[in-house]
Amino acid sequence: MAQTRQAAMYLVHVGSGLTLTKVGAHFGRDRTTVAHGCRMIEERRDEPVFDQVMESLEFALRRWMEVFGEDAR
């Protein structure tokens, strides 16, 4: 479950540009927890299959933001 949450926090931070503090507030976590989670996901981006999944999720999030814009935040 933690890895799923870390991936979600990473995607929100990278995909929307929200600060670690704001991402933490959305997930009920401290900014340092978000930073740790983002580091864990970044480390796994070296794995080709994991990276491909994250790229697909990033694409989906960007598309969501195009369609719903600020309302998605």
Side-chain angles (χ1 to χ4, degrees), residues 12-47:
V12 170
H13 174 62
V14 171
S16 71
L18 289 178
T19 65
L20 297 175
T21 301
K22 287 184 179 180
V23 172
H26 285 290
F27 284 87
R29 300 290 190 269
D30 184 77
R31 68 173 177 74
T32 59
T33 303
V34 177
H36 171 75
C38 288
R39 280 192 307 274
M40 295 294 99
I41 297 302
E42 280 293 335
E43 288 177 11
R44 293 217 45 209
R45 295 296 301 256
D46 293 333
E47 301 171 28

Side-chain angles (χ1 to χ4, degrees), residues 11 45 48-64:
L11 289 168
R45 295 296 301 256
V49 173
F50 186 83
D51 187 58
Q52 187 176 27
V53 169
M54 292 303 293
E55 283 183 14
S56 296
L57 292 170
E58 287 173 357
F59 174 81
L61 179 59
R62 280 193 306 273
R63 183 70 178 118
W64 178 272

